[in-house]
Amino acid sequence: MTVLNGRARTWAGFAGAAALLFAIAPLALSDFRLGLLAKYLCTAMVAVGICLAWGRGGLLTLGQGVFFGLGGYAMAMHLKIADAGPGNLPDFMALYGTATELPWWWKPFANPAFALAATVLLPMAVAAILGLFIFRRRVKGAYFAILSQALAAAFAIWLIGQQATTGGTNGLTDIQGFFGYDLNDPVNQRMVYFIIAASLLALIALARQLIHSRYGELLVAVRDSEERVRFLGYNPANVKLVAYVVAAGMAGLAGALFVPAVGIISPAMIGIVPSIEFVIGAAVGGRASLVGAVLGAIGVAWAKTVLSEEFPAGWTYFQGLLFIVALAFLPGGLASLTGMVRRRRKAVQQKPALPVGEAA
């Protein structure tokens, strides 16, 4: 009966989320606000992977911007080639005048099937290679977080230095089309929003399946007692590697869908600061809760849009303070408040009443 009730609540939650995203939001929001929501949902997709890797596996991934950027640039490269037309160079290459033909590593992205696959498989492949070196050497904790953050910084610096082939600091901008559809048309922009919303729900379903499977239980066991899991015959490195690779694929997909939603991808969106922002959203909402991580990511992204306009110099400090407060005083995030209130009420109800004489 408990299992059935849990499944019923899950299906009811998905139905409510689908109704909110596909029916209520498009009717209640203007095209501009709906475009902002699409951007926030991309951030929430990254938070789903962080919930799996950090919330369940204890892997503080401060380099998700790398995988977000790999997916974003893979998608943007194809769209820029398509916008330029057959035989023409992307506009920024023609502007710089340093290339007469597409670089060899751009050419495969002219194929839409290759580009779509690369948005997810390329980040997963990079994560697999890095994870093999990191986890098999038993690097964990703060050392893993620092390494992942250094990777994000190195990737952003490399992109900036390749101005002739990646657009440098400006990135790939002014993207006009999306697989034959004009992104300047509000109808097509809504189509992109619906694709992003559907992808988010699909990733939540996938992450939930992993979390509640035997693998999810093993991942928690590795987080809590890695040596004991190794003693039982499992390889903790492989267990952590799966979570890291899956989270990278989710971030890559989010980056790929972010490009048509916003029309740009640049190093400023994938470096250290964006990587930390991804983690802050999951931490504030609740890194161990899928719903909490998603809502936290959306809420922090919305707050950044609103508060950074009013306090452009102070937003970064507020964001850092928010992260510190969440980790120090509310490790479970806002999602843990409900459980804390429920446990306190239960403790009060179960507390035995004192006899009248003792009470006096």
Side-chain angles (χ1 to χ4, degrees):
M1 183 64 68
T2 303
V3 175
L4 292 177
N5 290 337
R7 289 180 177 177
R9 287 195 298 269
T10 299
W11 282 109
F14 269 98
L20 179 63
L21 292 174
F22 290 99
I24 299 176
L27 292 176
L29 299 177
S30 64
D31 291 336
F32 174 74
R33 296 297 176 186
L34 196 66
L36 287 179
L37 180 58
K39 177 181 174 181
Y40 303 157
L41 295 184
C42 290
T43 304
M45 292 168 66
V46 182
V48 173
I50 293 175
C51 177
L52 177 66
W54 184 30
R56 306 297 292 187
L59 303 173
L60 180 52
T61 54
L62 292 178
Q64 290 302 94
V66 173
F67 310 119
F68 183 86
L70 286 172
Y73 269 87
M75 175 64 76
M77 287 164 67
H78 170 73
L79 297 182
K80 291 298 290 183
I81 294 172
D83 286 348
N88 297 322
L89 292 175
D91 51 7
F92 74 94
M93 290 186 184
L95 177 64
Y96 297 143
T98 57
T100 57
E101 63 176 0
L102 277 177
W104 63 268
W105 53 278
W106 269 70
K107 291 180 180 179
F109 292 94
N111 186 308
F114 179 89
L116 283 174
T119 59
V120 177
L121 297 182
L122 182 59
M124 294 178 74
V126 172
I129 295 171
L130 292 172
L132 285 173
F133 284 103
I134 293 173
F135 299 134
R136 290 192 176 181
R137 291 182 175 272
R138 302 187 184 183
V139 177
K140 55 185 177 180
Y143 300 103
F144 170 76
I146 292 171
L147 280 175
S148 62
Q149 193 174 63
L151 177 64
F155 184 50
I157 292 171
W158 179 82
L159 288 172
I160 292 173
Q162 305 298 314
Q163 185 169 352
T165 54
T166 65
T169 305
N170 295 329
L172 303 181
T173 63
D174 195 28
I175 294 172
Q176 301 292 325
F178 182 64
F179 294 95
Y181 294 93
D182 183 8
L183 289 176
N184 293 317
D185 188 340
V187 174
N188 295 334
Q189 280 288 346
R190 290 203 164 212
M191 175 192 68
V192 171
Y193 163 79
F194 288 130
I195 292 174
I196 293 173
S199 299
L200 174 61
L201 293 180
L203 292 187
I204 293 174
L206 173 61
R208 186 184 182 281
Q209 183 64 30
L210 288 173
I211 287 172
H212 292 281
S213 66
R214 292 183 62 184
Y215 167 76
E217 296 176 357
L218 185 59
L219 183 61
V220 173
V222 170
R223 179 195 67 191
D224 295 340
S225 183
E226 185 173 326
E227 293 302 323
R228 182 173 296 180
V229 170
R230 183 177 288 108
F231 178 76
L232 293 174
Y234 294 98
N235 188 344
N238 293 338
V239 177
K240 292 190 286 188
L241 180 64
V242 171
Y244 188 51
V245 170
V246 171
M250 292 180 176
L253 179 60
L257 294 176
F258 179 87
V259 170
V262 180
I264 181 178
I265 187 75
S266 71
M269 300 175 182
I270 63 178
I272 292 178
V273 174
S275 296
I276 295 177
E277 289 175 351
F278 291 143
V279 173
I280 290 176
V284 171
R287 63 180 184 269
S289 166
L290 280 173
V291 175
V294 167
L295 294 180
I298 295 174
V300 170
W302 172 82
K304 178 183 178 182
T305 300
V306 175
L307 297 180
S308 62
E309 294 177 356
E310 297 293 331
F311 311 100
W315 163 247
T316 303
Y317 299 102
F318 173 77
Q319 195 174 42
L321 179 64
L322 189 64
F323 186 45
I324 294 172
V325 170
L327 291 181
F329 301 101
L330 200 63
L334 296 177
S336 65
L337 290 177
T338 304
M340 292 171 60
V341 172
R342 188 184 300 114
R343 287 192 297 271
R344 181 166 296 183
R345 287 181 178 177
K346 186 176 181 180
V348 171
Q349 293 173 356
Q350 292 179 349
K351 185 177 181 179
L354 294 175
V356 177
E358 295 184 17

